[in-house]
Amino acid sequence: MADRHGADPPGHEEPVSVNDYFGAHPQYVLGKLRARLGQFGPEPTVVGERDAAAGLAEATAAIAATARTAGLTATPATVPGEGEPARPRPALATEYLTEGALGLDAHGRPTIVEDGTAVPLDIHPDQQQRLVQLIGLKTRTLALYEAEANTVEPGETPQLTGMRTALREAYRTYRRKNPPPGKPGQRRTLVPKEAKDRAAREGLPTVPDK
């Protein structure tokens, strides 16, 4: 904040945006920086390989190593009671109870939270395998975040390496038959073939929503 004369106070530093950071460190951009016309004018975008899991892991490891060298590491939060260990983050399992959240039961079948309880999700067989894979990716990602938050050792650990490898392989398996999860235009309504056949038999021009 500037003072009434328009000058910044001593020690003031302007925040650096994400775009400014990558503009100053193009080696961490997984692709080619380009400009496109957005809703509010020109905006940056990246053109490159969609399946960038390996490059992302390499870039984040390099950024983390640079931050540690510069002393830009997180300071553990203090807790009441001198000498007490830091309290771990609550288990992510509680987050799955969010109303409408998707998960998997003990047999690997899709579930959805209704009224605070995970119940079986009725989904067409043509879409079940893909949904199970997506839920598995979400679960592995959240578990990795949890492990990272509760790991006190500096740098990579065998546990984190194993979890990253499993997540990377699960993503590659998903991508063999499906587009990237973030690709636009994937939100659509599935109309089963049997519903189309029934509508044709009944002479209906379109398939009713029900």
Side-chain angles (χ1 to χ4, degrees):
M1 179 183 296
D3 61 21
R4 60 190 180 91
H5 298 293
D8 290 333
H12 174 81
E13 294 183 2
E14 290 294 333
V16 178
S17 69
V18 172
N19 292 337
D20 290 336
Y21 178 85
F22 286 111
H25 303 84
Q27 69 272 25
Y28 296 140
V29 178
L30 304 183
K32 300 292 186 181
L33 278 173
R34 296 287 186 268
R36 68 179 179 186
L37 186 61
Q39 182 179 0
F40 303 103
E43 60 185 21
T45 186
V46 175
V47 178
E49 174 58 46
R50 287 279 186 177
D51 189 2
L56 179 61
E58 182 179 348
T60 52
I63 293 173
T66 301
R68 284 193 294 270
T69 301
L72 302 177
T73 54
T75 302
T78 58
V79 294
E82 184 177 358
E84 292 183 4
R87 296 174 182 175
R89 186 178 182 279
L92 284 169
T94 59
E95 297 179 8
Y96 300 154
L97 297 181
T98 303
E99 195 68 13
L102 300 178
L104 299 174
D105 63 15
H107 301 286
R109 295 172 298 201
T111 62
I112 187 170
V113 175
E114 294 182 353
D115 298 327
T117 302
V119 297
L121 177 63
D122 184 18
I123 182 170
H124 193 273
D126 291 351
Q127 296 295 308
Q128 180 152 340
Q129 181 181 11
R130 183 179 182 186
L131 180 61
V132 168
Q133 288 180 315
L134 284 170
I135 295 174
L137 288 173
K138 180 193 77 168
T139 303
R140 290 181 183 278
T141 301
L142 293 177
L144 177 58
Y145 288 161
E146 178 70 10
E148 288 176 335
N150 291 331
T151 299
V152 296
E153 302 175 36
E156 192 75 350
T157 66
Q159 179 196 15
L160 295 179
T161 298
M163 295 179 73
R164 292 189 211 285
T165 300
L167 175 59
R168 188 178 303 114
E169 290 303 316
Y171 180 74
R172 288 173 176 169
T173 299
Y174 172 82
R175 285 286 286 111
R176 290 190 185 106
K177 295 183 178 180
N178 304 288
K183 183 178 181 180
Q186 296 189 76
R187 191 178 183 87
R188 58 184 181 273
T189 302
L190 170 70
V191 182
K193 181 179 182 301
E194 53 266 33
K196 295 179 181 178
D197 294 342
R198 179 178 176 181
R201 290 195 303 270
E202 296 179 1
L204 300 175
T206 59
V207 178
D209 290 341
K210 64 180 180 179

